[in-house]
């Protein structure tokens, strides 16, 4: 292997280790999946705590710097500015390929699995007075990547509710019947639900008080009983009932 090939391989390694430690709109850091495939934990907790992927990739990145200095700068006589540009171009290419692949998979998923949760600015707020629900508001955005209309009900869940053995929050019409929502083919829509049209069952209850926060998990269910869970940190989600 000649020095020029070693030079560009070292630059490729530098860009790859950087990219493997970066989250994207469509997935966690790809390094997480690589480590988990190898049976190595990517976080110290349940996707919480210390992000071990960053540490492992950081070590490889430091090694790549030494290799780039040896093969690209010293032996290959490639200017630092050119190396920087190559790394940026590689990162853009890696990101484009990853994002395009994620969207393709989503587009070709079956049923509700083709819906993505765009979690930015999502929020739920509800308040009780004398043990009765007095105020409710939820905002979340969904995008249908499929080429067909999707009809579904919505429930809101979180790891904190499950930790305390509290039922997920189901969205109901004001008359207590299960609320149904529609997304047309290719549509992205922000749902803004309030107490004048909707109510809820489940979740934390209070005599006087309430709760508010981001929406971590959405569970979408179709009329035939199929359900998918969409997460704030996962573009694809997963099927929980077929």
């Amino acid at each position: 292997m000649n020095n020029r090939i070693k030079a560009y391989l070292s630059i490729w390694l530098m860009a790859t280790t950087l990219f493997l430690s970066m989250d994207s709109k469509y997935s966690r850091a790809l390094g997480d999946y690589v480590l988990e495939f190898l049976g190595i934990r990517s976080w110290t907790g349940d996707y919480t705590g210390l992000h071990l992927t960053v540490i492992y990739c950081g070590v490889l990145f430091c090694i790549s710097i030494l290799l780039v200095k040896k093969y690209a700068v010293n032996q290959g006589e490639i200017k630092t500015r050119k190396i920087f540009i190559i790394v940026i171009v590689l990162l853009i290419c890696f990101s484009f390929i990853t994002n395009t692949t994620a969207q393709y998979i989503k587009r070709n998923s079956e049923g509700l699995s083709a819906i993505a949760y765009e979690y930015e600015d999502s929020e739920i707020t509800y308040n009780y007075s004398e043990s009765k629900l007095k105020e409710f508001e939820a905002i979340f955005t969904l995008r249908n990547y499929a080429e067909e209309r999707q009809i579904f009900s919505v429930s809101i869940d979180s790891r904190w509710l499950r930790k305390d053995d509290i039922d997920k929050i189901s969205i109901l019409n004001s008359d207590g019947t299960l609320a149904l929502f529609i997304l047309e083919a290719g549509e992205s829509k922000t749902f803004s639900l309030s107490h004048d049209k909707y109510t809820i069952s489940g979740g934390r209850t209070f005599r006087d008080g309430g709760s508010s926060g981001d929406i971590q998990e959405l569970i979408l269910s179709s009329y035939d009983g199929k359900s998918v869970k969409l997460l704030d940190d996962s573009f694809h989600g997963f099927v929980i009932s077929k």
Side-chain angles (χ1 to χ4, degrees):
M1 185 182 297
N2 62 46
N3 288 336
R4 193 161 189 82
I5 293 176
K6 291 179 181 179
Y8 284 104
L9 281 177
S10 65
I11 296 172
W12 178 86
L13 176 62
M14 176 183 285
T16 301
T17 53
L18 272 176
F19 185 71
L20 287 176
S21 63
M22 296 166 55
D23 292 338
S24 75
K25 177 181 178 180
Y26 301 106
S27 70
R28 293 184 285 121
L30 292 184
D32 289 3
Y33 301 105
V34 174
L35 291 175
E36 290 162 11
F37 176 77
L38 297 174
I40 303 172
R41 297 184 66 176
S42 58
W43 291 81
T44 54
D46 183 17
Y47 301 119
T48 58
L50 187 62
H51 196 183
L52 299 175
T53 300
V54 174
I55 296 176
Y56 297 138
C57 288
V59 172
L60 291 175
F61 181 72
C62 290
I63 294 173
S64 72
I65 291 176
L66 297 176
L67 294 175
V68 166
K69 184 176 180 180
K70 178 179 179 180
Y71 294 113
V73 177
N74 295 338
Q75 297 183 14
E77 297 184 350
I78 301 175
K79 293 183 178 180
T80 304
R81 179 181 176 184
K82 183 177 179 180
I83 293 172
F84 177 78
I85 293 173
I86 292 173
V87 169
I88 295 300
V89 170
L90 284 173
L91 289 175
I92 292 172
C93 290
F94 292 160
S95 180
F96 175 78
I97 293 170
T98 302
N99 294 346
T100 301
T101 301
Q103 292 179 52
Y104 175 81
I105 294 172
K106 198 69 170 174
R107 238 181 346 259
N108 289 276
S109 299
E110 295 185 0
L112 298 178
S113 295
I115 296 178
Y117 173 33
E118 300 179 352
Y119 61 88
E120 294 87 351
D121 300 322
S122 66
E123 185 179 13
I124 180 170
T125 302
Y126 56 96
N127 289 289
Y128 284 83
S129 177
E130 297 181 352
S131 301
K132 293 184 178 181
L133 185 67
K134 294 297 183 181
E135 180 185 4
F136 163 69
E137 183 177 18
I139 300 174
F140 54 88
T141 300
L142 299 174
R143 180 174 178 180
N144 180 16
Y145 281 83
E147 296 181 356
E148 59 183 15
R149 169 189 286 190
Q150 306 279 4
I151 303 175
F152 50 89
S153 59
V154 175
S155 298
I156 298 172
D157 204 359
S158 76
R159 61 180 68 93
W160 310 115
L161 292 179
R162 289 193 300 276
K163 181 180 178 181
D164 295 334
D165 279 334
I166 298 174
D167 289 339
K168 62 183 181 295
I169 299 170
S170 296
I171 308 297
L172 310 175
N173 295 312
S174 57
D175 61 3
T177 58
L178 189 65
L180 294 177
F181 304 92
I182 298 174
L183 271 178
E184 299 294 342
E187 181 182 18
S188 178
K189 182 176 180 179
T190 297
F191 295 88
S192 183
L193 316 180
S194 57
H195 194 57
D196 57 339
K197 292 184 178 180
Y198 299 95
T199 186
I200 60 173
S201 67
R204 298 183 188 278
T205 57
F206 306 84
R207 174 171 175 78
D208 294 291
S211 179
S212 64
D214 298 338
I215 298 175
Q216 295 179 347
E217 304 174 4
L218 286 174
I219 299 174
L220 311 184
S221 302
S222 59
Y223 65 90
D224 56 1
K226 296 180 180 179
S227 299
V228 299
K229 178 174 286 189
L230 306 178
L231 311 177
D232 59 358
D233 60 355
S234 174
F235 177 67
H236 293 289
F238 56 91
V239 177
I240 59 175
S241 178
K242 296 185 178 180

